[in-house]
């Protein structure tokens, strides 16, 4: 062999074996795309006596070599090897290594091309070693399809992992989808295949054609494609990654100093395919969403947008949770730069972007990761470990270095390439437990005989460690529905390392309580007080998510009891109580104006609801609650600390009233009182921790929110009447089905002693 451009070695390498013309057997294997190492035969092969140049072109009738350097530059005719499509020429040992091939076709047309087999290795042995060890975190810089210039030649470098394949070719619209044209080289015995294809540019469609050890031929999309077709047509597309000019430097700089545990975090969860549709029913594009969704969320006052998965997925009904293209924003709404524009616009409006990330499973689509190289490469081979029977999907093999590398590098890719501010990890419980949704005998215990998935636990810890090592200013959020301990505690103290955990217990208990007839709530007070018992065991995010408004569960407004007025009063009371409760907050789209029908992913929200006063007024309340959470440190600085919360009274089951205070780092206080019955309570006495005036900041019964407008004329002064263990108190009028929030302001106290 000789040095080829791009080879990490600089010296000329002479083969130890004599150089011979190509054998008929090898030529036939190349022509049938059955040879496991085409680079060992095609291209330039020289020793100290002679040089052979070989190329392959099934549709050519003749070929000749055109030297591009040295003298003389006389073209050399190539001869066809037998009845194959391989062409060969013998030249002098000093034949120039820079050449092109001129092909003649049956029509008489001529075409001169670069020979892909004259270019050397692109992935270094060191990076190949890192990948084998599962630590090539910049995976997307090396794998996939990359536009490159090598020795002045423009083209695309393709790299893919398929260790058990007999042969891998890149096929596409640039080679008539013919696997004989661009068979790839396996590198460093690590199962990685690569090739540089000259003159392939942006927009080219491609896949990998894989010949398995059993002789079958598979056609697979690129696992690291950065852009893909959507739906039945699922080719990967070559795209430029570094063209977009970001304008969010102010946001990113501010993010660097962020401590999200002490900052306000209120999240608007969105399925971007069904937030709103165009009049003709088509999807909004990423750029349309940037111009419509982003200002809407900014107006509401949310700090973050959380997007249901935007990675490429063929099945609309999966809502994005069955991903085939982990590195490609779905092309339903535009190209990757369009998605970058969406994120950039959100940041310029002061809104962070959180993505749903799905490392727990993947679908069985033939073009995807399933049996990628003819073997169970990404998934476990044993269905007791490798398949979700409920979902009809496959489970990643977290015990394999390269699979962990693929997933962690994918997380880093979204943060680096798209400036994503957080990742919400889907279905963590399904990863942690080997017996998740399985009957006895349908799962395999771990090496200690337990039900814990040790490989998945290690993966989740490494994921969080690597993410925060490189991006300490982002957040990771676990959707974990069990009592697994220390989900949001650092890995060095035995935790999984997440920033936050969804509080599913609070959600289920609260919705159960809110669905009850108010006259029965007195018997279920524990459903709204129990959450404080464990509120500070984790860094929680309180969620009213998409899962609660589908599949017959009804919309949030329809979960509320009573007539229409009471339904809205209940929901207003519930939202204010939720926003005042310790923990970060999340609402699914449509909840802000009380969408009446269940969420349907096939159409937009019922925006006509906003023409009705009660719906529009509820949206006003959400805006004011977001403003309150942002402006009052007592509602965000100590969300994860018991020092930020104190009960005033939770024993009044008979009247279904609770009261508590929230405190900031500097001791600022807000008082929250909830009346969960439709009976107004006049002069209800509540103990107060300090003398002074208490300003009424939120009253969900305000007429501006659609209520009856019973209130306390802007606030109340503390009186020297002991109550609830405090030396001060106030007689407060509690509106029906309402939450009141007061802010303590130093001022006069009425002395009634």
């Amino acid at each position: 062999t000789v040095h080829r451009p791009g080879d990490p070695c600089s010296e000329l390498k002479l083969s130890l074996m004599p150089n011979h013309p190509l054998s008929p057997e090898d030529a036939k294997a190349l022509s049938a795309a059955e040879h496991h190492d085409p680079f060992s035969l095609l291209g330039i092969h020289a020793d100290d006596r002679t040089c052979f140049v070989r190329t392959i072109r099934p549709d050519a009738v003749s070929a000749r070599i055109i030297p591009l350097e040295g003298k003389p530059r006389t073209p050399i005719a190539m001869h066809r090897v037998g009845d194959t499509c391989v062409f060969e020429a013998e030249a002098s040992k000093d034949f120039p290594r820079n050449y092109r091939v001129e092909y003649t076709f049956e029509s008489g047309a001529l075409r001169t091309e670069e020979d892909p087999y004259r270019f050397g290795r692109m992935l270094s042995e060191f990076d190949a070693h890192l990948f084998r060890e599962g630590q090539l975190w910049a995976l997307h810089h090396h794998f996939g399809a990359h536009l490159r210039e090598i020795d002045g030649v423009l083209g695309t470098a393709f790299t893919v992992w398929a260790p058990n394949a007999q042969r891998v070719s890149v096929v596409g619209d640039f080679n008539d989808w013919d696997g004989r044209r661009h068979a790839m080289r396996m590198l460093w015995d690590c199962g990685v295949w690569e090739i540089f294809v000259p003159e392939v540019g942006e927009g080219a469609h491609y896949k990998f054609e894989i010949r398995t050890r059993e002789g079958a031929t598979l056609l697979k999309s690129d696992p690291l494609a950065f852009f893909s077709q959507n739906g039945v047509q699922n080719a990967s597309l070559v795209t430029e990654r570094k063209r977009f000019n970001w304008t969010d430097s102010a946001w990113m700089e501010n993010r660097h100093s962020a401590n999200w545990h002490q900052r306000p975090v209120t999240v608007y969860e969105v399925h971007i395919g069904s937030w709103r549709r165009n009049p003709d029913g088509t999807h909004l594009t990423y750029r349309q969403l940037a111009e419509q969704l982003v200002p809407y969320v900014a107006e509401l006052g949310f700090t973050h947008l959380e997007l249901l998965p935007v990675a490429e997925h063929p099945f609309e009904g999966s809502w994005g949770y069955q991903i085939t293209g982990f590195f490609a924003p779905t092309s339903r709404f535009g190209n990757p730069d369009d998605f970058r524009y969406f994120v950039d616009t959100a940041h310029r409006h002061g809104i962070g972007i959180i993505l749903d990330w799905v490392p727990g499973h993947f679908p069985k689509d033939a073009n995807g990761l399933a049996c990628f190289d003819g073997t169970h490469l990404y998934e476990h081979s044993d269905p007791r470990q490798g398949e979700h029977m409920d979902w009809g999907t496959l489970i990643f093999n977290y015990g394999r270095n390269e699979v962990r590398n693929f997933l962690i590098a994918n997380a880093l890719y979204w943060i680096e390439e798209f400036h994503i501010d957080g990742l919400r990890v889907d279905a963590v419980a399904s990863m942690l437990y080997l017996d998740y949704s399985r009957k006895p005998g349908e799962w395999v215990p771990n090496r200690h005989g337990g039900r814990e998935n040790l490989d998945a636990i290690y993966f989740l810890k490494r994921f969080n460690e690597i993410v925060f090592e490189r991006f300490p200013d982002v957040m990771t959020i676990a959707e974990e529905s069990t009592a697994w301990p220390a989900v949001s505690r650092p890995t060095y103290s035995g935790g999984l390392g997440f920033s936050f955990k969804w509080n599913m217990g609070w959600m289920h208990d609260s919705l159960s309580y809110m669905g009850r007839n108010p006259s029965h709530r007195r018997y279920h007070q524990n459903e709204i007080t129990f959450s404080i018992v464990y509120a500070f065991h984790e860094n929680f995010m309180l969620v009213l998510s998409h899962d609660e408004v589908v599949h017959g569960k009804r919309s949030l407004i329809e979960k509320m009891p009573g007539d229409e007025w009471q339904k809205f009063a209940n929901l207003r009371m519930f939202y204010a109580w939720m926003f005042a409760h310790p923990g970060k907050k999340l609402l699914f789209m449509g909840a802000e104006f009380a969408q009446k029908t269940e969420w349907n992913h096939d159409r937009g929200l019922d925006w006509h609801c906003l023409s009705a006063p009660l719906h529009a007024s509820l949206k006003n309340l959400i805006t004011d609650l977001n403003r309150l959470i942002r402006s009052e440190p007592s509602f965000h600085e100590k969300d994860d600390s018991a020092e930020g919360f104190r009960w005033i009274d939770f024993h009044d089951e008979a009247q279904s009233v609770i009261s508590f205070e929230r405190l900031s780092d500097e001791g600022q206080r807000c008082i929250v009182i909830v009346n969960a019955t439709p009976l107004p309570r006049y002069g209800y006495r509540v103990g107060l921790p300090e003398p002074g005036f208490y300003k009424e900041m939120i009253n969900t019964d305000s007429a501006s929110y659609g209520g009856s407008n019973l209130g306390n004329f802007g606030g109340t002064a503390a009186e020297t009447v002991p109550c609830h263990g405090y030396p001060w108190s106030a007689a407060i009028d509690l509106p029906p089905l309402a939450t009141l929030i007061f802010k303590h302001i130093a001022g006069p106290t009425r002395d009634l002693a």
Side-chain angles (χ1 to χ4, degrees):
T1 59
V2 298
H3 167 62
R4 303 183 181 93
D7 197 310
C9 299
S10 60
E11 76 278 4
L12 182 68
K13 296 181 287 185
L14 300 179
S15 62
L16 299 179
M17 298 297 292
N19 209 14
H20 295 295
L22 189 65
S23 71
E25 293 76 18
D26 284 336
K28 288 180 180 179
L30 289 170
S31 290
E34 294 178 354
H35 200 283
H36 70 286
D37 188 10
F39 274 84
S40 67
L41 302 175
L42 299 173
I44 301 178
H45 295 272
D47 60 16
D48 57 357
R49 292 177 290 106
T50 188
C51 172
F52 285 95
V53 183
R54 305 184 187 98
T55 187
I56 185 168
R57 187 63 189 254
D59 53 348
V61 296
S62 65
R64 62 178 187 164
I65 309 169
I66 311 295
L68 299 181
E69 59 186 25
K71 293 183 180 180
R73 297 189 182 180
T74 306
I76 300 176
M78 307 183 80
H79 71 273
R80 185 187 298 273
V81 182
D83 59 354
T84 70
C85 55
V86 179
F87 297 89
E88 179 180 67
E90 185 173 4
S92 63
K93 65 180 181 180
D94 56 354
F95 181 79
R97 280 42 179 167
N98 190 6
Y99 66 93
R100 303 189 82 191
V101 182
E102 181 188 82
Y103 296 104
T104 303
F105 301 95
E106 190 171 347
S107 65
L110 299 177
R111 180 177 174 83
T112 302
E113 299 178 349
E114 296 285 348
D115 183 5
Y117 292 98
R118 77 174 183 86
F119 295 92
R121 297 182 179 95
M122 293 167 289
L123 185 70
S124 71
E125 187 172 11
F126 177 72
D127 287 334
H129 173 75
L130 285 178
F131 179 62
R132 268 197 307 266
E133 296 298 316
Q135 300 186 76
L136 186 60
W137 305 128
L139 192 67
H140 65 279
H141 291 288
H142 302 280
F143 285 53
H146 293 268
L147 294 166
R148 288 187 180 172
E149 180 179 333
I150 299 180
D151 285 357
V153 178
L154 297 174
T156 300
F158 298 93
T159 308
V160 67
W161 178 54
N164 303 303
Q166 182 189 90
R167 183 265 306 167
V168 179
S169 299
V170 60
V171 297
D173 52 13
F174 47 85
N175 63 12
D176 298 322
W177 301 91
D178 189 335
R180 297 171 292 179
R181 291 273 301 276
H182 295 108
M184 304 170 77
R185 168 202 290 119
M186 182 186 274
L187 292 171
W188 310 117
D189 195 31
C190 64
V192 176
W193 302 75
E194 69 170 22
I195 192 171
F196 175 71
V197 183
E199 301 173 2
V200 171
E202 184 167 16
H205 293 54
Y206 73 98
K207 288 186 180 183
F208 293 114
E209 184 180 280
I210 298 174
R211 181 178 173 82
T212 71
R213 290 178 176 176
E214 290 73 30
T217 300
L218 308 176
L219 202 57
K220 293 287 188 176
S221 302
D222 185 355
L224 272 92
F226 307 123
F227 191 26
S228 298
Q229 288 182 305
N230 175 258
V232 177
Q233 295 178 318
N234 46 45
S236 304
L237 276 70
V238 176
T239 189
E240 173 59 63
R241 289 177 30 247
K242 301 179 180 180
R243 174 177 49 219
F244 188 78
N245 293 318
W246 290 93
T247 63
D248 63 347
S249 57
W251 168 270
M252 298 299 287
E253 185 63 31
N254 181 57
R255 198 183 80 178
H256 290 333
S257 59
N259 180 348
W260 295 115
H261 298 289
Q262 295 180 325
R263 285 196 179 188
V265 176
T266 60
V267 181
Y268 187 71
E269 187 190 31
V270 173
H271 176 258
I272 59 178
S274 59
W275 178 72
R276 179 178 286 162
R277 294 286 180 98
N278 287 310
D280 62 359
T282 58
H283 292 124
L284 297 182
T285 66
Y286 291 124
R287 291 182 179 264
Q288 286 179 303
L289 288 160
E291 304 306 323
Q292 297 182 38
L293 172 60
V294 169
Y296 178 80
V297 174
E299 177 191 357
L300 286 170
F302 286 95
T303 65
H304 289 77
L305 260 168
E306 179 176 319
L307 309 180
L308 271 63
V310 299
E312 194 61 80
H313 53 281
F315 179 41
E316 291 272 3
S318 76
W319 311 335
Y321 289 98
Q322 294 190 12
I323 295 172
T324 53
F326 280 78
F327 287 77
T330 177
S331 58
R332 287 172 175 82
F333 315 116
N335 63 43
D337 278 349
D338 293 333
F339 182 62
R340 289 182 176 94
Y341 177 83
F342 171 80
V343 176
D344 193 56
T345 303
H347 285 172
R348 287 189 283 106
H349 280 75
I351 299 169
I353 297 294
I354 300 168
L355 291 188
D356 264 14
W357 187 56
V358 190
H361 63 126
F362 60 92
K364 300 177 181 179
D365 296 57
N367 67 294
L369 299 180
C371 290
F372 186 78
D373 62 359
T375 68
H376 297 286
L377 188 61
Y378 287 88
E379 70 273 21
H380 279 281
S381 58
D382 188 333
R384 295 175 299 170
Q385 296 173 284
E387 186 171 356
H388 276 305
M389 300 300 183
D390 290 350
W391 303 338
T393 55
L394 301 174
I395 301 170
F396 285 103
N397 182 353
Y398 306 108
R400 188 160 195 167
N401 290 342
E402 297 91 342
V403 173
R404 289 197 308 273
N405 197 151
F406 173 82
L407 291 171
I408 295 174
N410 179 245
L412 298 173
Y413 165 78
W414 287 103
I415 299 170
E416 175 189 330
E417 292 282 325
F418 297 98
H419 292 199
I420 297 304
D421 304 289
L423 296 171
R424 177 263 194 187
V425 182
D426 177 61
V428 170
S430 74
M431 302 166 67
L432 292 173
Y433 298 98
L434 294 166
D435 63 345
Y436 181 85
S437 193
R438 296 177 187 272
K439 299 175 183 177
E442 294 181 348
W443 59 282
V444 180
N446 63 35
R447 61 179 177 269
H448 305 297
R451 59 197 284 254
E452 299 80 12
N453 189 332
L454 303 180
D455 289 334
I457 295 167
Y458 176 73
F459 159 71
L460 290 169
K461 289 182 176 182
R462 287 297 288 156
F463 152 72
N464 281 305
E465 289 168 352
I466 298 302
V467 165
F468 290 124
E469 176 185 302
R470 285 156 176 75
F471 301 98
D473 52 353
V474 303
M475 64 178 79
T476 63
I477 306 161
E479 185 210 11
E480 202 288 302
S481 55
T482 73
W484 188 279
V487 170
S488 58
R489 294 294 181 257
T491 58
Y492 59 74
S493 63
L496 293 181
F498 286 92
S499 306
F500 300 104
K501 172 182 173 175
W502 272 20
N503 195 335
M504 314 291 276
W506 172 88
M507 178 180 69
H508 292 141
D509 287 349
S510 299
L511 290 176
S512 173
Y513 181 84
M514 291 306 304
R516 297 184 186 281
N517 185 309
S519 63
H520 299 160
R521 287 174 178 168
R522 63 191 301 176
Y523 306 111
H524 303 278
Q525 186 96 333
N526 63 301
E527 289 181 336
I528 60 169
T529 60
F530 180 64
S531 60
I532 298 300
V533 174
Y534 61 86
F536 311 109
H537 292 180
E538 299 276 4
N539 303 323
F540 279 120
M541 181 173 286
L542 310 185
V543 295
L544 295 171
S545 73
H546 61 279
D547 280 324
E548 303 312 306
V549 292
V550 290
H551 301 323
K553 295 180 182 179
R554 297 174 296 163
S555 64
L556 289 181
I557 189 66
E558 293 302 327
K559 293 178 191 286
M560 301 297 115
D563 58 22
E564 183 179 56
W565 190 93
Q566 288 195 359
K567 285 178 183 291
F568 275 89
N570 270 296
L571 196 56
R572 292 192 300 266
M573 174 196 77
F574 181 38
Y575 283 164
W577 161 37
M578 170 190 181
F579 273 67
H581 190 289
K584 309 308 179 184
K585 316 300 186 297
L586 178 144
L587 282 182
F588 184 56
M589 63 183 196
E592 76 277 11
F593 62 78
Q595 161 104 1
K596 282 204 166 186
T597 59
E598 283 192 343
W599 168 50
N600 183 340
H601 69 271
D602 284 327
R603 62 182 181 85
L605 296 178
D606 294 334
W607 292 102
H608 62 271
C609 288
L610 283 171
S611 62
L614 283 174
H615 292 272
S617 298
L618 183 66
K619 180 171 169 279
N620 294 337
L621 173 63
I622 293 299
T623 302
D624 287 348
L625 288 172
N626 274 317
R627 186 180 297 117
L628 180 72
I629 295 298
R630 284 175 177 264
S631 63
E632 294 302 323
S634 56
F635 285 115
H636 61 252
E637 286 186 345
K638 295 191 173 201
D639 263 336
D640 57 356
S641 170
E643 297 176 355
F645 176 91
R646 188 176 301 161
W647 281 116
I648 295 174
D649 180 39
F650 61 89
H651 294 295
D652 192 358
E653 297 97 339
Q655 300 186 84
S656 296
V657 176
I658 60 170
S659 52
F660 57 88
E661 58 178 311
R662 295 295 308 275
L663 298 90
S664 72
D665 285 334
E666 297 181 357
Q668 296 168 300
R669 299 173 186 273
C670 284
I671 305 300
V672 182
I673 309 168
V674 180
N675 175 18
T677 69
L679 298 176
R681 308 207 180 270
Y682 298 97
Y684 187 92
R685 188 158 293 277
V686 177
L688 297 173
E690 288 186 282
F693 185 75
Y694 288 79
K695 180 181 179 181
E696 192 174 80
M697 305 292 287
I698 292 288
N699 177 350
T700 63
D701 192 52
S702 167
S704 62
Y705 305 141
S708 62
N709 217 32
L710 174 62
N712 294 275
F713 303 100
T716 185
E719 302 170 341
T720 54
V721 176
C723 185
H724 296 140
Y726 295 102
W728 302 279
S729 65
I732 298 173
D733 290 343
L734 303 185
L737 295 172
T739 296
L740 302 179
I741 300 177
F742 296 88
K743 178 182 178 180
H744 175 254
I745 299 174
T749 299
R750 285 188 284 175
D751 188 350
L752 301 184

